[in-house]
């Protein structure tokens, strides 16, 4: 080859350049490997290489050094053994449901679950002959009563999306385990930091089967990446999920994987900062005349507070751990227009979906459209959810104060 090198055309030489940099490069961040095609040394290697595990590389969709490293670090964060990466948190939920359910099966979803999970379960899964049933996550006997011989999967969320009620997660998992039903937790709120999803009792005897995480939130931390993960501790269960992941082609881009790898080392610090600021502001909101209820699992009196204390209370040297989210119920004597004006009147809280980034966010919600089952624990009124960013708490408090005053002034 070498003797004929000079006779080759320039275009060929730059494509088939044989320079290899020296090996042994070590830096804090792993390299960003980008590939659809992966090159095999020969046909025999192509025939024998396994796409299903991390013993080698076959195609970009099945993994690169960059995605393998991110998967392993996420397993460490959540206490799992296997991981697949998907293009969003919602895709992670879909990957689990479609991998595990078939026509004739039933799936149970909490009535306070992340809205698009409920929507997908009730509408899309029905197209495949799968029946979704909603259950009251605050009542383990309600869950137990809805499990039938056709139930194959139970979704869990701790706490519920938007309304943030904290369920008795160990009790719910125990009910499913006794009946041989697979459990999948949407662990986006806990993020692997507030509690250990695969070890709910601290002695390794009880955990969920699957943990799904919207990496879009705290692991990415910038409000600029969409990604999700599905983590397991059982090779057979992982393989079911991995097979569907392959059939649907749910790969992630290397640059997005890199963005998450870059933010991951600071997740503990950020989570704690979001938590501290959110708890301070939630307490302050409890004192405001226009607010009739504050929903934050770490606040005594908030629905499921005792279950939060049991599961998350020991973290942070006994201060407990929580994500930087809370919701308030505005006194129903105020109109929707006033609530909207309150949200519009905020300067540092931007109106937008998602959470986990540096910027504080606010969003009004209509509870009536969101729930099928009764919610006696929730005060009537308009719900407003806050996601606390990384701004100084006193500036956020000042902002809330000025907009509350403007929007809800007696007139
Ligand atoms: C945001 C979120 C998701 C979905 O994540 P995306 O990446 O936006 O699809 C799922 N579950 C919960 C609890 C979330 O907050």
């Amino acid at each position: 080859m070498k003797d004929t090198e000079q006779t080759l055309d320039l275009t060929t030489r730059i494509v088939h350049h044989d320079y290899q940099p020296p090996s042994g490069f070590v830096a804090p961040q792993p390299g960003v490997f980008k590939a659809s095609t992966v090159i095999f040394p020969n046909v025999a290697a192509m025939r024998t290489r396994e796409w299903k595990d991390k013993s080698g590389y076959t195609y970009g969709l099945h993994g690169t050094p960059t995605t393998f490293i991110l998967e392993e670090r996420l397993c460490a964060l959540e206490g799992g053994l296997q991981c697949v990466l998907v293009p969003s948190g919602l895709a992670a939920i879909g990957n689990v449901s479609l991998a595990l359910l078939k026509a004739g099966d039933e799936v149970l979803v909490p009535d306070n679950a992340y809205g698009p999970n409920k929507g997908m379960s009730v509408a899309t899964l029905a197209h495949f002959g799968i029946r979704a049933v909603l259950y009251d996550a605050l009542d383990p006997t309600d869950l137990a009563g809805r499990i039938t011989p056709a139930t194959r999967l139970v979704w869990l969320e701790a706490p519920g999306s938007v309304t943030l009620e904290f369920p008795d997660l160990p009790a719910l998992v125990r009910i499913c385990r006794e009946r041989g039903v697979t459990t999948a937790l949407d662990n986006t709120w806990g993020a692997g930091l507030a509690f250990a999803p695969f070890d709910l009792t601290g002695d390794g005897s009880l955990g969920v089967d699957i943990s799904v995480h919207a990496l879009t939130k705290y692991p990415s931390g910038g409000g600029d990446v969409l990604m999700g993960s599905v983590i397991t501790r059982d090779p057979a269960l992982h393989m079911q999920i991995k097979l569907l992941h392959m059939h649907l082609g749910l790969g992630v881009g290397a640059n997005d994987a890199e963005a998450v790898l870059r933010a991951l080392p600071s997740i503990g610090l950020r989570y704690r900062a979001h938590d501290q600021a959110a708890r301070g502001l939630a307490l302050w909101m409890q004192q405001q005349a226009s607010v009739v209820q504050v929903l934050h699992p770490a606040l005594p009196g908030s629905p499921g507070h005792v279950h939060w204390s049991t599961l998350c209370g020991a973290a942070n040297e006994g201060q407990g751990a929580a994500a930087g989210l809370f919701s308030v119920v505005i006194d129903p004597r105020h109109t929707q227009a006033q609530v909207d004006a309150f949200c519009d009147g905020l300067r540092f809280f931007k109106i937008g979906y998602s959470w986990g980034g540096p910027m504080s966010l606010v969003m009004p919600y209509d509870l009536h459209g969101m729930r099928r089952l009764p919610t006696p624990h929730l005060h009537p009124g308009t719900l407003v959810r806050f996601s606390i960013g990384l701004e100084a708490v006193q500036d956020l408090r000042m902002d809330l104060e000025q907009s509350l005053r403007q929007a809800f002034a007696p007139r």
Side-chain angles (χ1 to χ4, degrees), residues 88-91 93 114 157 161 186 188 214 216-217 226-227 354-355:
S88 71
L90 187 55
I93 294 169
Y114 177 65
E157 211 171 308
S161 230
D186 183 334
T188 306
T216 306
K217 309 290 167 52
L226 283 157
M227 201 181 292
S354 200
W355 40 277

Side-chain angles (χ1 to χ4, degrees), residues 140-374:
T141 59
D142 185 72
L143 171 67
R146 292 181 197 268
I147 292 178
T148 75
T151 309
R152 288 285 165 280
L153 176 67
V154 171
W155 277 102
L156 303 157
E157 211 171 308
S161 230
V162 183
T163 40
L164 301 163
E165 306 98 330
F166 211 94
D168 186 350
L169 195 57
L172 298 177
V173 172
R174 221 171 264 124
I175 285 167
C176 297
R177 187 171 278 194
E178 281 163 10
R179 290 158 179 79
V181 180
T182 303
T183 51
L185 170 73
D186 183 334
N187 194 30
T188 306
W189 184 95
L193 296 163
F195 60 92
F198 295 102
D199 184 12
L200 299 170
T201 42
D203 60 3
S205 69
L206 189 75
V208 300
D209 296 311
I210 300 165
S211 175
V212 157
H213 196 160
L215 309 177
T216 306
K217 309 290 167 52
Y218 291 122
S220 119
D224 56 354
V225 176
L226 283 157
M227 201 181 292
S229 59
V230 183
I231 296 183
T232 46
R233 287 185 65 84
D234 176 67
L237 190 55
H238 168 67
M239 206 39 66
Q240 255 182 299
I241 289 159
K242 175 102 178 153
L243 201 63
L244 189 95
H245 176 268
M246 190 268 213
H247 287 161
L248 294 186
L250 298 174
V252 303
N255 289 102
D256 284 345
E258 182 211 17
V260 179
L261 278 166
R262 191 118 201 259
L264 208 55
S266 64
I267 189 173
L269 289 171
R270 288 183 284 107
Y271 194 85
R272 209 163 160 162
H274 289 288
D275 178 10
Q276 257 181 11
R279 276 200 243 183
L281 291 169
L283 275 171
W284 182 83
M285 279 302 242
Q286 268 185 333
Q287 271 123 58
Q288 307 312 306
S290 44
V291 173
V292 288
Q293 190 174 21
V294 176
L295 300 161
H296 184 306
L299 295 196
S302 194
H305 167 70
V306 60
H307 303 308
W308 172 85
S309 293
T310 307
L311 201 60
C312 315
N316 261 341
E317 282 130 26
Q319 293 168 50
L325 289 173
F326 65 89
S327 291
V328 303
V329 181
I330 302 291
D331 193 317
R333 74 192 148 91
H334 296 302
T335 64
Q336 183 67 55
Q338 279 178 291
V339 177
D340 292 356
F342 163 68
C343 296
D344 284 337
L346 291 163
R347 177 178 169 202
F348 300 126
F349 290 83
K350 301 300 179 189
I351 297 158
Y353 291 110
S354 200
W355 40 277
M359 198 177 277
S360 290
L361 300 171
V362 65
M363 185 62 71
Y365 284 92
D366 171 25
L367 193 66
H368 297 294
M370 289 164 54
R371 291 299 183 84
R372 300 270 185 86
L373 306 176

